[in-house]
Amino acid sequence: MTDASPECTTRQGAVRGRAEHGVAAFLGVPYAAAPFGPRRFAAPAPPEPWTGVRDATAYGPTAPKAPYAPPFDTLIPDTSMPGEDCLNLNIWTPEPGPGARLPVMVWLHGGAFSNGSANASGYRGHTFARDGVVLVGVNYRLGTDGFLHLPGAPDNRGLLDQIAALTWVRENIAAFGGDPDRVTVFGESAGGVAIGQLLAEPGARGLFRRAVLQSGACHHFIGPDTARRIGERMAERLGVPHTAEAFAAVPLPDLIDAQAMLRADFASRPDPAVWGDAALNGMAFEPVAPGLRLPGPDLGVDLLVGSNREENRLYMAPTGRFDTISEGRVRRQADAYGVDLPAYREIRPDATPGELLDGLITDWFWRVPAIRLAESVPGTHLYEFAWRSPQYDGALGACHALELPFVFDLPDDPDYAALTGEKAPHDLARTMHAAWVDFATTGDPGWPAYDPEKDRTTMVFDTTSHQEHDPRRAERELWEDVR
């Protein structure tokens, strides 16, 4: 790609991008109309067409949100840019223009449905484009605007945004060198959870051929009663009726402040009597669903799914809590999950309370849902990320979000320095990134599918990556009767 100002034509009009690392980047391209004014809290509407050539050389606005609380504001990629036209996406392509028919990957960022942005430095897609993939990063509504239950508005507006973005990709990506019949949607944390919901969503059917769910699968949602309870609590904090109309009249800074306070209140007191079934998930904002929806064998979508070996250490080591966890805290968590703690301790006889708590939460929240999804859909490929960060004297371990710089092959990006330290292994980044590219291209990431009737092959990504058969089998079996 040699053109310094590449141009492509969408259904809404022409866009001019920029050259970046030898590929073309088109940034801040709208896939839906601005969700403000009369469109506030509504389902996404098509973007307005334009005349002439629209500049797409700079990132667009991001969804309104409160910043991460310390210390996570320095650990997890995020960025905020003001403006109402926040339903936009970023595209990196090695061959702008129709005809190339390259595989497409659509990135859904994480952030507990309250934070995150496709504009973060660590999510730049030039490494995928370098390897023959058209990469699309999506900004979608978050927090109150995207996921709070509001009478008079559709639920799961952030998911509806993602469907609108995937629809835009289906209709327009050929103009950027992509193949609309070879779309892989991939996401981490809340992004992975969102994909778990999209797998069962009729409106998303046919919009993607493959999916990668990183540290997030199908069981993280809240029921309608809990959704109503959280919405009412937010309304009480704001002093307004619990309706979409009343919330739309609240000044945005006040809404963001109330959202941050609600999240802090939730984190300090995750009581099921107050927060319902959201208490176990630890998130105040989540998709609303009537129950667990595993897709089953007739899904028709290739899946790659997995988790990190010590996910919950992200929330323990940086806060100094890892070495102060009590036996009572571990017992309460095991009771909440309904898992046999003595049996779990027998599997890990030398574990400290902090290590036990990390194991329990990692299994329940991330690892077991990934396994159950792989069991539900034959042909799914399963992975586990096991490289341990040296940060926080090694206590950070193979924590949540640590796989991101390796998937994007950006181990030296400053967005990730606080997570990885100064010497993230480049060979691991090349290996993991190549597996994602191969999966998007062919459906085969390079190891056998997970077969619960045979050997349960799992790819373990580490300094020396390797296949294992049914890793940590005893723990997996302990969770079989826990739902």
Side-chain angles (χ1 to χ4, degrees), residues 126-205:
H126 65 274
T127 53
F128 283 97
R130 173 200 67 198
D131 295 329
V133 172
V134 178
L135 193 286
V136 181
V138 178
N139 285 310
Y140 55 93
R141 281 175 285 183
L142 303 167
T144 300
D145 280 71
F147 292 94
L148 188 73
H149 169 70
L150 292 170
D155 282 333
N156 302 326
R157 296 172 295 278
L159 295 183
L160 297 178
D161 293 345
Q162 294 168 5
I163 292 172
L166 288 164
T167 301
W168 188 97
V169 168
R170 177 91 188 156
E171 295 174 348
N172 291 283
I173 205 62
F176 296 84
D179 184 348
D181 294 322
R182 280 201 295 169
V183 173
T184 298
V185 60
F186 73 127
E188 182 265 348
S189 192
V193 173
I195 295 171
Q197 295 294 322
L198 294 178
L199 293 176
E201 185 61 46
R205 193 165 295 138

Side-chain angles (χ1 to χ4, degrees), residues 12-24:
Q12 290 74 44
V15 290
R16 179 183 299 111
R18 72 187 193 196
E20 180 180 297
H21 299 281
V23 302

Side-chain angles (χ1 to χ4, degrees), residues 223-290:
D225 181 66
T226 293
R228 176 188 52 79
R229 192 182 307 184
I230 292 174
E232 289 174 348
R233 196 170 184 87
M234 182 75 161
E236 180 182 349
R237 184 175 289 281
L238 287 166
V240 301
H242 181 214
T243 66
E245 183 181 10
F247 270 64
V250 176
L252 191 56
D254 294 347
L255 193 65
I256 295 299
D257 289 345
Q259 182 173 303
M261 288 187 286
L262 180 78
R263 189 174 60 190
D265 186 18
F266 182 91
S268 66
R269 190 165 54 112
D271 183 354
V274 177
W275 301 103
D277 52 15
L280 281 180
N281 289 353
M283 294 187 289
F285 299 96
E286 297 180 71
V288 181

Side-chain angles (χ1 to χ4, degrees), residues 87-148:
L87 300 185
N88 60 66
L89 42 78
N90 307 315
I91 305 164
W92 287 264
T93 175
E95 296 188 43
R101 307 288 291 187
L102 298 171
V104 180
M105 298 188 74
V106 178
W107 171 245
L108 302 181
H109 66 80
F113 299 105
S114 300
N115 287 91
S117 159
N119 298 2
S121 172
Y123 300 151
R124 288 171 297 153
H126 65 274
T127 53
F128 283 97
R130 173 200 67 198
D131 295 329
V133 172
V134 178
L135 193 286
V136 181
V138 178
N139 285 310
Y140 55 93
R141 281 175 285 183
L142 303 167
T144 300
D145 280 71
F147 292 94
L148 188 73

